[in-house]
Amino acid sequence: MAMTGEIYHSPMVCQEEELHVLAVDDSFVDRKVIERLLKISSCKVTAVESGTRALQYLGLDGEKSSVGFDALKVNLIMTDYSMPGMNGYELLKKIKESSAFREIPVVIMSSENIMARIDRCLEEGAEEFIVKPVKLSDVKRLRDCIIKGDGEENVKKNLNKRKLQEDEDDHSVSSSPSTPVSPLSPSVARDLASSSRSPSPSPSPACSIKRPKMLHSS
Amino acid sequence: MEVGQMQRSLVDYTKSLFLEGVLDGQFLQLQQLQDETNPDFVAEVVSLFFEDSQRLLNDLTRTLDQPNVDFKIVDAHVHQLKGSSSSIGAQRVKNSCIAFRNSCEAQNIEGCMRCLQQVKQEYFLAKNKLETLFRLEQQIVAAGGSIPIMELSF
């Protein structure tokens, strides 16, 4: 695998395809908004109202699903955290436990800015934790990240890169949520050695953890 | 009234809603999502919000009326209302929900009753204002004009 520091395309998504996002939220209002945010960002959307429905859609509910999953491959799952019945964290766990779907990036959305909750979700494998209300810029950033990053592997590499870069650059980084830093893979080490100050247009990596807004108490 | 005048009225009215804190930046976000392919998006979302809120306020009234109030249920309803009001930018409704949740946490029944009144007040205020806003917009469109785009620069 030639690692030249360039964009790595996974077989899952190519530049030209529309991303298909599965959005999970029990609120009518939020479903409508997220649907529109995604459509305006050129994504296909399937919006469901619960974790159970999401699992049914994916065919993970243990029942023989009548629809072949390959019909509409899901590239990203965005789920609300607080939902009656199965909450977002539980849904995240089920997805990560499944061999078929664990590669699909999962983003958690929540109106509550609780560090322990954020940590727990990130540790369970969530790509990001977005504090509601979700903005257009959040969706655009996510979409670009998924298209460029193409799956968890590259995103995790970028996360590790950023964490190490932060440790190098700035020892006084305060409020970053603790992310599990796995041991450096050889490819990451090589990337760091050769191009840690690579000429990329933006200083931050394609997919960075959104720092929860600490503006107001809720 | 000619279109230009109506448009200026709309802009002034919208500005006042922001200055009074009835609406916040999230409402502008919603307006950004509206275009020719989806010209009624904001009105549709806000309608959903009205329906949702009415149901939640009814549920809250009923739950607080019980002999033994289940604060967990009250809190769940308020949490939902807080979420949807936040999503459409109904700032004062959202803030009154935050206060409400504090009363729930304290299991303070009187506090909750007061908060419910406050939330209802803020909700009906927001509803009124938004309905007026949409009416102004409709008048402009009916007169052949276009809706001016708001920017949060005041």
Side-chain angles (χ1 to χ4, degrees), chain B residues 7-59:
Chain B
Q7 286 170 328
R8 272 190 297 280
S9 294
L10 174 65
V11 170
D12 288 342
Y13 190 70
T14 312
K15 261 196 210 176
S16 72
L17 297 188
F18 283 101
L19 290 172
E20 289 164 23
V22 176
L23 294 178
D24 66 25
Q26 185 61 17
F27 187 75
L28 289 180
Q29 279 277 316
L30 290 190
Q31 288 185 321
Q32 274 183 46
L33 302 180
Q34 183 162 289
D35 60 21
E36 323 74 48
T37 66
N38 227 292
D40 299 314
F41 175 69
V42 183
E44 284 169 10
V45 181
V46 172
S47 279
L48 267 178
F49 168 68
F50 290 160
E51 280 171 38
D52 219 28
S53 304
Q54 198 55 71
R55 178 184 55 87
L56 286 166
L57 289 171
N58 292 340
D59 288 346

Side-chain angles (χ1 to χ4, degrees), chain B residues 57-110:
Chain B
L57 289 171
N58 292 340
D59 288 346
L60 277 166
T61 309
R62 205 180 34 249
T63 310
L64 282 171
D65 216 15
Q66 304 296 312
N68 286 325
V69 173
D70 188 335
F71 288 101
K72 277 217 172 73
I73 294 186
V74 178
D75 186 69
H77 289 321
V78 179
H79 173 76
Q80 274 191 289
L81 184 56
K82 176 180 154 244
S84 52
S85 56
S86 161
S87 293
I88 69 147
Q91 189 177 250
R92 280 163 60 155
V93 179
K94 178 189 75 173
N95 289 341
S96 61
C97 287
I98 293 172
F100 200 155
R101 292 194 82 191
N102 292 335
S103 292
C104 288
E105 213 176 325
Q107 307 219 342
N108 177 354
I109 185 78
E110 270 125 33

Side-chain angles (χ1 to χ4, degrees), chain A residues 73-212:
Chain A
K73 213 162 192 112
V74 171
N75 304 118
L76 168 66
I77 297 171
M78 295 183 73
T79 177
D80 188 25
Y81 183 91
S82 318
M83 298 187 289
M86 187 189 302
N87 70 21
Y89 175 73
E90 289 157 355
L91 175 61
L92 168 69
K93 273 188 80 164
K94 285 238 153 53
I95 291 168
K96 294 302 169 186
E97 280 165 10
S98 126
S99 50
F101 300 109
R102 70 162 68 100
E103 295 302 310
I104 303 181
V106 180
V107 169
I108 309 274
M109 307 176 281
S110 174
S111 57
E112 291 174 306
N113 191 350
I114 300 172
M115 265 320 188
R117 176 181 291 185
I118 297 169
D119 280 352
R120 206 188 323 137
C121 290
L122 292 176
E123 270 171 42
E124 196 59 40
E127 243 29 77
E128 275 209 35
F129 187 100
I130 297 185
V131 178
K132 279 177 158 180
V134 181
K135 295 184 163 36
L136 194 54
S137 53
D138 294 324
V139 173
K140 291 210 153 121
R141 186 173 45 86
L142 266 181
R143 190 205 57 194
D144 292 344
C145 164
I146 304 292
I147 288 180
K148 254 196 264 174
D150 295 325
E152 256 177 81
E153 204 197 334
N154 243 42
V155 171
K156 289 239 162 70
K157 274 197 239 160
N158 284 332
L159 287 179
N160 288 342
K161 259 198 223 181
R162 181 165 146 276
K163 183 130 189 28
L164 287 155
Q165 235 166 353
E166 277 180 4
D167 288 347
E168 279 168 29
D169 296 345
D170 180 9
H171 289 282
S172 57
V173 174
S174 45
S175 54
S176 51
S178 55
T179 21
V181 181
S182 43
L184 275 186
S185 66
S187 49
V188 178
R190 209 180 316 131
D191 281 351
L192 281 175
S194 57
S195 59
S196 57
R197 308 282 183 268
S198 59
S200 58
S202 54
S204 52
C207 208
S208 57
I209 292 185
K210 168 147 177 152
R211 295 279 166 83

